[in-house]
Amino acid sequence: GMRFSVYQISRKGGREKNEDRMGYCYTRESGLFALADGMGGHPEGEMASQLALQTMAALYQRDARPSLEDPIRFLQDAIMAGHHQLLRYASEKGLIDTPRTTMVACIMQGNSAYWAHCGDSRLYFIRGEKLIVRTRDHSYAELQQSLSSSVPNDERYNRNVLFTCLGSPGKPVVDTAGPILLQEGDRVMLCSDGLWGTVEDEDITRHMSTRTISDAVPEVVEVALRQGGPKCDNVTVLAVEWESAENDEVPNISTDTLGEEVFASTIQASVCGNTAHAELSEADELDEAEIERSIREINEAIRRSANAANAGKKS
């Protein structure tokens, strides 16, 4: 089995709605951690992030038995499946424009981590006090940085415009990484641009490396909300500590107790029909207590049932 602790928060900031979604699932041998940021300027951003997350969770439940054969391939396929679900949703609903979302997801399996992203939601991998690696956004700003030696600096276009996402007309660009070998105490943090847009990488790293994740995450989110001001974007963070030391505040998840077929998830099951909007507005402010409660309920409700695996797939 595996041992890790996890802490997640999503805040609405100064926006009318929270279009960010996050969650995780695990089996005895494998864990999936994912975050999506629905894009404004297109319809139903919260639906886009929710659908992308659920699609990935449904496929994970189907394929992680109890581990994935090929994590990188899984991540690519699951992001692409989310993209196709958005296109299908838009055509079923007769929408002129497709809902769009970013996606970042990490799989921990064996003692390795693998991840993938599309858009500008980020993964930070922190070991000790060092930021070992973070994802490169699919935005013109980051592209420009990597090309700056050869391309004249031209500020005419909006540097933060994304050149890819799920739900886009073109095929999404998906970058993958891994396997990277995990060491005890390693921290992986997924976040939406509401965090990194207002907090520098070195500050994020300092917060995430010097406190327990249960202290670090709420603190860095508060900093982002404060620095983002009244117009602050949604701020969402999901952090995982690998083989974390015992700590009363954040219960360690040990997967040893799970059977072969058992699957736990904090990602809400299917949202369809008219209840979607009611449910989604409820999800605007998710706090740790609610999440803990939902995990407990999920764990109690887990049964060896194939029905759940099929719930996320529309026929």
Side-chain angles (χ1 to χ4, degrees), residues 93-158:
K93 288 272 187 291
L95 303 176
I96 308 290
D97 188 15
T98 307
R100 298 179 193 194
T101 184
T102 68
M103 187 92 189
V104 59
C106 176
I107 285 162
M108 292 183 179
Q109 186 170 292
N111 52 356
S112 296
Y114 309 77
W115 60 87
H117 80 291
C118 176
D120 67 353
S121 290
R122 287 181 181 176
L123 178 145
Y124 288 75
F125 188 102
I126 294 158
R127 173 170 293 161
E129 315 224 312
K130 279 204 177 67
L131 176 57
I132 303 292
V133 67
R134 80 155 165 84
T135 51
R136 292 272 151 216
D137 310 331
H138 295 128
S139 67
Y140 293 105
E142 292 254 300
L143 191 62
Q144 189 178 55
Q145 248 173 356
S146 51
L147 298 175
S148 56
S149 48
S150 57
V151 177
N153 196 355
D154 182 354
E155 291 291 323
R156 273 193 310 247
Y157 55 75
N158 178 350

Side-chain angles (χ1 to χ4, degrees), residues 111-113 125 127 179-183 186:
N111 52 356
S112 296
F125 188 102
R127 173 170 293 161
I180 185 166
L181 230 48
L182 290 160
Q183 294 180 10
D186 280 353

Side-chain angles (χ1 to χ4, degrees), residues 241-253:
E241 185 175 335
W242 181 249
E243 294 190 343
S244 42
E246 277 304 327
N247 163 10
D248 298 338
E249 288 146 69
V250 186
N252 263 325
I253 293 172

Side-chain angles (χ1 to χ4, degrees), residues 265-285:
S265 175
T266 65
I267 295 170
Q268 274 171 271
S270 184
V271 285
C272 329
N274 303 327
T275 55
H277 293 285
E279 279 183 47
L280 290 169
S281 59
E282 294 292 301
D284 276 348
E285 297 284 352

